[in-house]
Amino acid sequence: MSEELGYWRSRVFSTDHKVIAKQYLSLGLFWALMGGATAYLIRWQIAHPDTEAPGWGFIAPDFYNMLVTMHGTIMVFFVAMPILLAAFGNFLIPLMIGAKDMAFPRLNMLSFWVFFLASVVLMASFFVPGGAAAAGWTGYPPLSAKMEYTGVGWGMNLWLLALALEFASFLLGGVNFLTTAMNMRAPGLTWFRLPVIVWMQLTAAVIFMLSVGPLIAGAVMLLMDRLIGTTFFLPEGGGEPLLWQHLFWFFGHPEVYVILLPGLGIVVDVISVFSRKPVFAYRPIIYSTIVAGFMSFIVWAHHQFISGIDPRLAMPFSITTIIISVPFAFVIFSIIATLWRASITFSAAMLFALGSLGVFIFGGLTGIFNGSAPVDIYIHDTYFVVAHFHYTLFSVVFFGSFAGLYFWFPKMFGRMMNEALGKIHFWLTFIFFNAVFIPMHLVGLRGMMRRIANPMQYEFLKPLEPLNMFITLSAILLLVSQVVFVINFFMSLARGKAAERNPWQANTLEWTTDSPPPHGNFAAVPSVYRGPYEYSSPESAEDWLPQDRPLTASRTAVR
Amino acid sequence: MNANTATMTDSGIPPGKTGTWWFLASEIPVFGGLIASYIVVRLGSAGWGEASSHLNFTLALINTFLLLTSSMTVVMAHAASQENNYRSVANFLGLTVLLGLGFLGVKAVEYTTEIAHGFTPAAGIFWSFYYGMTGLHGLHVLAGIIVNIVLWIGALKGSLARHGHRVELAGLYWHFVDIVWLFLFPLLYLA
Amino acid sequence: MLNWFPENVSTFGGEVDGIFWLIFYITTVWFFITEGLIVYFAFRYRRKPGEKAAYVLGNTTAELAWILVPLAIVVVLDLWIDIRGAAVWANIKGERPAADITVRAMGKQFNWEFTYPGPDGKFGTEDDLKIDNDLHVPVGKVVHVVLTSKDVIHSFFLPHARLKQDVVPGREIPAWFQISKPGEYEIPCAELCGFGHSGMNGKLYALSTEDYEKWVKEKWPPEK
Ligand SMILES: [Cu+2]
Ligand SMILES: [Cu+2]
């Protein structure tokens, strides 16, 4: 079928969800390189202020502000979202529910190309006069609302435009995910037989679609302030700067879970497969994440404790924030309980999943400090916060995605990745990640503020110089370690061992078809007889029991 | 319809409708955020009523009437599509498009007179919100008009008969745009 | 680690640090329990030939109790942190004690501008004293700072006093502190405010009452 379509229709303007998933993956990985490059320059400047960064040159203060702005924007919106949601969601949802494709394949293609356009716009913003946006990834006005405050002109407008396009793309994507899952599940595949990753993708899509609207409105308002002279966020015209913060964080906190849930879903699935054990408390995990998803709509002001809002608002938001740890604690405890009496194989995917879990727990615990209003007075806008959210986000975005990639690579590309290189990649990443971000907590507790280009300008920060140098060195090593992955990825793509249908002996539907699956995914519509995690079930002689295998004919049903 | 999708659809709602509802669900927070911002900022400062008194209430009332009528015509277009009467579908869609264009025309008259009197988007916070809210709504009306024009052409050429349900989906969206106006009208012109 | 924080020199700083350490001890215990279990299970239950994993679904009350009991402890600890924290928050950001002196601080790209009321004790009069970046206060006295901004959002940060408050244009935001130890402390801006954000730094001179009086005599305009 794909041969008939020709190169352009099958590879570029394809409506096949698997091709679109790979397009998102490629673009997301490309942006990850850019995100890494910005991280390198940021870290260089902090450790060796006002010296030439090898391979680049001097970093002026205004360029430094662009770097921190774009690093955050890129990593959250152009790496985490396309890889965790779009790439994994697109690839897995139809395959895991036994569907031929998405409900709206052409809309799916449109989503990708809108995202592509957003990428082009964001990239272009680096090259316009005045440079790229420099008001932080949170874009607080009035700094972001007037050119005279930053010297950035079209860079900021393009930044807003890129975000608006990206949101439109993911809204269309969300419509597709939800409709597909509601209408196209294989016979027998009830809601509570869906893999956790599918549930997480759907919950994430709903949270995203319900939370992003106000920020879309906010982006329009900010753009109007910049372009046609309205004063939504400018006090001299009766506007309210804090309004933007409310609109931004009403979306911003749910957005964290939009990224977190798919990553967590990958971790749950991978851990179950390599533990050869059912997910502990499958249903309550799903309920917990839905509860956490809805709670995420009433915690946003924890980003604003000291922003000038009424101080009486702080405690209610502090309480909701700390209480939101309860559903997540439930999920984490359940994942740990899944390991109890398991039979664990340490594949590269499993190492990354366990690493993700371990790192995420650390980030969750440091979140309690930030969520406490009085402690936040001191640590707000310091590197403690930066270290905290890197623990929560790096754990899902990178450890989680790597777990997913090592696990589903055979299904995506029909070849196996090199396990030895994968394990080396894991240990290097794990060690250097912690070497970067554990000391960063200390830097923050010493009081070092975010987004300052030169800590040596402050007496009380001068003693931090050696620690900052150590962090930068570790960060460079962390970045260099990723070369192992790049080599493994392309080598495996070119000449990895051909993958069988089900190399990990996993239960879910994607493993019942060819690797990679043909256009249309399944030769015949699969029928589903059970949940996705029937590992080591007493009903089966082996330690796995695929979802589509009727038990009475289990010996003969191998296709 | 092949056997594949037939056995799979289990929500009982056709995909097009499911998708449209989710799309609308994500549109509500856009205007919800804007309206909530308007209310919160307005409660926090004075002088809004005076600014609001410079709006042309009569024209807005006419516009409300135009949109409400157009909501009726899309319902009739939908009813006609269910009877497979695509001549009549084309007529009602054409009427909807005209009413929508009428709305935008009146809006354009309002904007021009206001700007002529010095009430530009830069004239103060009320005007920021006024142009922001009505402008974003106007863009939605425009999008609805384009969708309806496409369907109208399909109805004239006869190709719409194969996708009759699209009339209903476009109608859902059109109703949504109408309802948003029913919030904006009192908030901006009456309060 | 105990000496890692900048030395606390305010009356309420110790309370902030106290909540920090409370959370630190609680989370450290949880850290070792959870991470310890992961590592222990990973070793204990690694794959061994001929051994099958247990088929445990975690859907019976007895099994779920292993999760729900720790979860109940989490809830109790959460509430403990919140209740203890609420009191500290109210002390720092809620009702302020009566002022001994009041200063206005305006953030502007990229300086702090401090205004003293002058001998007449009123702001907005001719004898107001304006000083860029240097804030002189007496030790042991309640200082009110009225924070405003001329342009963008800044953040008034006194790391040694554990005080931080964003400064928002269009608003007057009150803050207060009481320094307990004479010395010179920095007042960095903690919110990105433009290309000169890095280096936007004021200085707090906490003087003994006599030194403060001396400074007032020297610097303040003469009384009319
Ligand atoms: Cu948050
Ligand atoms: Cu500043």
Side-chain angles (χ1 to χ4, degrees):
Chain A
M1 175 117 181
S2 64
E3 280 74 28
E4 295 162 28
L5 291 171
Y7 178 81
W8 287 95
R9 288 289 303 281
S10 67
R11 299 276 161 186
V12 182
F13 296 105
S14 170
T15 57
D16 185 321
H17 71 101
K18 300 182 291 297
V19 177
I20 293 173
K22 289 174 198 172
Q23 289 173 325
Y24 273 116
L25 182 65
S26 320
L27 199 48
L29 289 174
F30 163 78
W31 277 114
L33 280 178
M34 294 292 295
T38 50
Y40 159 67
L41 293 178
I42 290 168
R43 279 313 315 177
W44 183 270
Q45 167 66 20
I46 292 174
H48 312 279
D50 304 333
T51 62
E52 277 194 39
W56 181 266
F58 281 107
I59 297 160
D62 50 350
F63 183 63
Y64 182 84
N65 289 348
M66 289 173 205
L67 287 175
V68 292
T69 303
M70 294 311 259
H71 177 76
T73 305
I74 289 171
M75 286 304 197
V76 171
F77 295 116
F78 290 81
V79 177
M81 300 271 289
I83 292 180
L84 279 176
L85 269 96
F88 282 112
N90 262 306
F91 187 78
L92 294 176
I93 291 176
L95 280 168
M96 285 184 147
I97 67 172
K100 292 187 347 181
D101 206 315
M102 283 284 178
F104 311 110
R106 279 191 296 170
L107 187 71
N108 204 15
M109 180 180 79
L110 181 69
S111 303
F112 173 75
W113 287 104
V114 172
F115 174 68
F116 185 83
L117 188 63
S119 298
V120 171
V121 170
L122 192 73
M123 198 50 122
S125 78
F126 278 103
F127 301 103
V128 293
W137 83 282
T138 51
Y140 281 7
L143 188 66
S144 58
K146 267 188 178 177
M147 182 171 167
E148 59 185 271
Y149 290 142
T150 53
V152 177
W154 270 93
M156 187 73 209
N157 300 341
L158 293 179
W159 180 83
L160 283 166
L161 189 63
L163 286 194
L165 286 169
E166 135 112 18
F167 294 157
S169 156
F170 279 87
L171 278 182
L172 298 180
V175 168
N176 226 334
F177 281 17
L178 290 161
T179 309
T180 306
M182 284 173 74
N183 280 356
M184 297 175 73
R185 281 170 287 127
L189 189 51
T190 57
W191 283 109
F192 286 108
R193 284 178 178 175
L194 285 176
V196 170
I197 171 79
V198 176
W199 266 108
M200 297 280 189
Q201 290 280 356
L202 300 179
T203 313
V206 174
I207 298 172
F208 178 79
M209 292 167 73
L210 297 184
S211 65
V212 77
L215 185 57
I216 293 178
V220 171
M221 289 150 84
L222 189 51
L223 207 56
M224 286 174 73
D225 275 6
R226 292 183 63 84
L227 294 179
I228 62 169
T230 54
T231 53
F232 288 107
F233 305 118
L234 294 169
E236 58 266 35
E240 175 53 83
L242 293 186
L243 174 61
W244 167 268
Q245 298 185 17
H246 288 292
L247 298 173
F248 188 90
W249 290 115
F250 180 80
F251 163 74
H253 195 90
E255 166 70 8
V256 175
Y257 297 167
V258 170
I259 294 168
L260 166 66
L261 294 184
L264 214 52
I266 292 173
V267 169
V268 170
D269 271 42
V270 169
I271 284 184
S272 177
V273 170
F274 291 103
S275 300
R276 314 311 291 167
K277 230 185 125 226
V279 170
F280 191 92
Y282 163 85
R283 272 195 199 213
I285 284 182
I286 289 160
Y287 295 138
S288 295
T289 49
I290 292 173
V291 167
F294 281 101
M295 279 185 74
S296 73
F297 284 85
I298 49 165
V299 298
W300 80 90
H302 62 212
H303 298 267
Q304 299 171 257
F305 286 147
I306 59 156
S307 71
I309 58 169
D310 189 328
R312 283 167 301 183
L313 286 174
M315 281 330 286
F317 279 100
S318 195
I319 289 167
T320 55
T321 299
I322 292 186
I323 292 296
I324 210 170
S325 65
V326 173
F328 280 114
F330 184 92
V331 175
I332 297 299
F333 292 160
S334 298
I335 301 176
I336 295 175
T338 305
L339 296 170
W340 174 65
R341 296 177 64 195
S343 174
I344 300 171
T345 314
F346 295 98
S347 62
M350 182 63 165
L351 286 176
F352 271 105
L354 291 173
S356 175
L357 180 65
V359 170
F360 179 75
I361 289 174
F362 193 110
L365 291 172
T366 54
I368 308 269
F369 295 89
N370 298 302
S372 164
V375 178
D376 188 65
I377 298 174
Y378 178 57
I379 63 180
H380 182 82
D381 268 336
T382 67
Y383 267 87
F384 188 90
V385 177
V386 178
H388 154 72
F389 68 67
H390 279 88
Y391 262 87
T392 55
L393 289 178
F394 198 102
S395 62
V396 284
V397 178
F398 290 99
F399 284 97
S401 293
F402 284 134
L405 279 175
Y406 283 105
F407 185 62
W408 280 293
F409 188 92
K411 190 52 67 180
M412 284 181 171
F413 300 102
R415 291 179 185 276
M416 304 299 288
M417 281 186 100
N418 183 312
E419 276 289 307
L421 281 179
K423 287 175 194 174
I424 294 172
H425 175 218
F426 167 75
W427 286 110
L428 291 176
T429 305
F430 186 76
I431 290 166
F432 291 127
F433 169 80
N434 286 297
V436 173
F437 291 101
I438 287 178
M440 198 178 279
H441 288 92
L442 296 178
V443 167
L445 292 180
R446 182 74 210 187
M448 181 165 155
M449 299 79 70
R450 302 169 73 170
R451 296 163 174 167
I452 53 167
N454 184 356
M456 299 304 283
Q457 289 168 308
Y458 304 84
E459 284 305 318
F460 78 111
L461 297 179
K462 280 193 176 151
L464 291 175
E465 193 180 21
L467 202 51
N468 272 322
M469 284 181 176
F470 175 80
I471 294 174
T472 296
L473 181 66
S474 306
I476 292 171
L477 291 172
L478 176 63
L479 288 170
V480 171
S481 306
Q482 305 314 308
V483 173
V484 180
F485 170 74
V486 175
I487 291 173
N488 193 353
F489 189 90
F490 286 107
M491 246 177 50
S492 307
L493 212 54
R495 57 179 104 127
K497 194 172 85 140
E500 338 155 12
R501 285 189 160 197
N502 192 355
W504 315 116
Q505 305 189 324
N507 287 344
T508 41
L509 293 178
E510 79 273 26
W511 302 106
T512 64
T513 183
D514 293 345
S515 300
H519 195 72
N521 293 347
F522 299 93
V525 180
S527 288
V528 173
Y529 299 94
R530 62 187 62 80
Y533 302 114
E534 293 298 299
Y535 295 103
S536 305
S537 157
E539 290 183 332
S540 165
E542 299 131 319
D543 63 359
W544 53 302
L545 189 50
Q547 285 189 280
D548 69 333
R549 185 187 293 170
L551 253 192
T552 44
S554 64
R555 296 293 128 233
T556 53
V558 183
R559 333 182 186 157
Chain B
M1 192 137 298
N2 62 30
N4 199 336
T5 40
T7 52
M8 285 180 151
T9 299
D10 66 354
S11 72
I13 313 164
K17 214 177 204 170
T18 315
T20 308
W21 278 114
W22 277 114
F23 175 72
L24 294 181
S26 67
E27 280 267 42
I28 291 169
V30 178
F31 285 100
L34 201 52
I35 289 172
S37 302
Y38 171 83
I39 293 171
V40 169
V41 177
R42 178 165 183 158
L43 290 177
S45 57
W48 292 56
E50 198 277 327
S52 163
S53 69
H54 296 288
L55 294 177
N56 191 326
F57 177 75
T58 322
L59 286 183
L61 201 62
I62 294 173
N63 254 352
T64 310
F65 174 75
L66 290 180
L67 273 196
L68 285 178
T69 316
S70 73
S71 252
M72 206 170 71
T73 54
V74 286
V75 170
M76 287 166 149
H78 170 51
S81 77
Q82 284 187 322
E83 288 157 17
N84 269 320
N85 182 353
Y86 280 87
R87 260 225 70 76
S88 163
V89 169
N91 289 340
F92 283 121
L93 285 178
L95 213 54
T96 310
V97 169
L98 280 180
L99 288 163
L101 288 173
F103 176 90
L104 290 183
V106 171
K107 203 73 229 157
V109 171
E110 278 188 76
Y111 280 172
T112 8
T113 42
E114 280 143 12
I115 289 171
H117 285 87
F119 301 118
T120 64
I125 185 66
F126 173 81
W127 298 99
S128 296
F129 272 105
Y130 168 73
Y131 285 102
M133 291 160 95
T134 55
L136 197 63
H137 176 258
L139 286 179
H140 280 75
V141 174
L142 186 64
I145 290 174
I146 292 169
V147 168
N148 280 324
I149 288 178
V150 171
L151 294 182
W152 176 65
I153 294 170
L156 287 181
K157 292 204 306 198
S159 57
L160 188 62
R162 274 176 290 125
H163 310 285
H165 65 288
R166 287 183 185 169
V167 178
E168 188 188 1
L169 304 184
L172 284 174
Y173 176 78
W174 192 259
H175 288 316
F176 167 75
V177 175
D178 264 12
I179 291 167
V180 169
W181 176 253
L182 292 182
F183 280 92
L184 298 191
F185 174 55
L187 279 171
L188 290 169
Y189 291 83
L190 295 178
Chain C
M1 180 94 178
L2 281 165
N3 293 323
W4 183 256
F5 286 77
E7 186 193 5
N8 166 47
V9 298
S10 74
T11 48
F12 52 59
E15 297 173 39
V16 171
D17 293 357
I19 303 294
F20 177 88
W21 290 112
L22 171 72
I23 301 175
F24 180 82
Y25 295 130
I26 292 174
T27 51
T28 303
V29 170
W30 280 110
F31 175 80
F32 282 110
I33 292 175
T34 50
E35 307 278 5
L37 277 177
I38 294 173
V39 173
Y40 172 71
F41 286 164
F43 275 97
R44 171 74 180 74
Y45 300 114
R46 64 188 182 279
R47 189 172 198 111
K48 291 167 208 128
E51 263 184 50
K52 217 172 161 183
Y55 182 73
V56 182
L57 294 173
N59 55 4
T60 66
T61 323
E63 285 164 357
L64 277 173
W66 284 96
I67 307 276
L68 293 176
V69 171
L71 208 62
I73 300 173
V74 169
V75 175
V76 171
L77 292 174
D78 278 356
L79 291 174
W80 187 26
I81 291 170
D82 269 329
I83 291 167
R84 286 280 312 276
V88 176
W89 173 264
N91 184 16
I92 301 174
K93 297 280 181 179
E95 283 294 303
R96 295 175 297 164
D100 293 316
I101 72 165
T102 301
V103 188
R104 294 178 69 86
M106 184 168 75
K108 56 183 183 185
Q109 289 181 325
F110 299 95
N111 282 302
W112 296 112
E113 183 185 285
F114 297 108
T115 308
Y116 291 84
D120 67 353
K122 284 192 208 107
F123 287 104
T125 51
E126 227 165 68
D127 64 351
D128 286 5
L129 174 65
K130 284 196 179 161
I131 307 172
D132 265 5
N133 290 328
D134 287 348
L135 176 61
H136 295 75
V137 300
V139 165
K141 294 281 162 64
V142 174
V143 180
H144 281 198
V145 189
V146 181
L147 295 161
T148 57
S149 168
K150 192 181 163 205
D151 36 48
V152 301
I153 298 176
H154 302 272
S155 191
F156 184 84
F157 185 22
L158 274 173
H160 293 84
R162 312 289 187 265
L163 175 66
K164 195 183 288 122
Q165 177 59 55
D166 281 5
V167 180
V168 183
R171 286 178 179 237
E172 286 196 349
I173 300 173
W176 76 277
F177 59 86
Q178 183 178 347
I179 301 294
S180 51
K181 189 184 164 194
E184 291 176 16
Y185 312 103
E186 282 166 296
I187 316 174
C189 169
E191 181 69 61
L192 179 66
C193 58
F195 72 89
H197 167 57
S198 186
M200 174 168 169
N201 194 5
K203 198 143 222 184
L204 176 75
Y205 296 87
L207 308 171
S208 65
T209 318
E210 305 85 73
D211 287 349
Y212 181 73
E213 291 301 332
K214 223 166 81 194
W215 175 79
V216 167
K217 270 211 187 77
E218 267 172 38
K219 297 282 167 175
W220 285 31
E223 211 158 346
K224 279 183 208 142

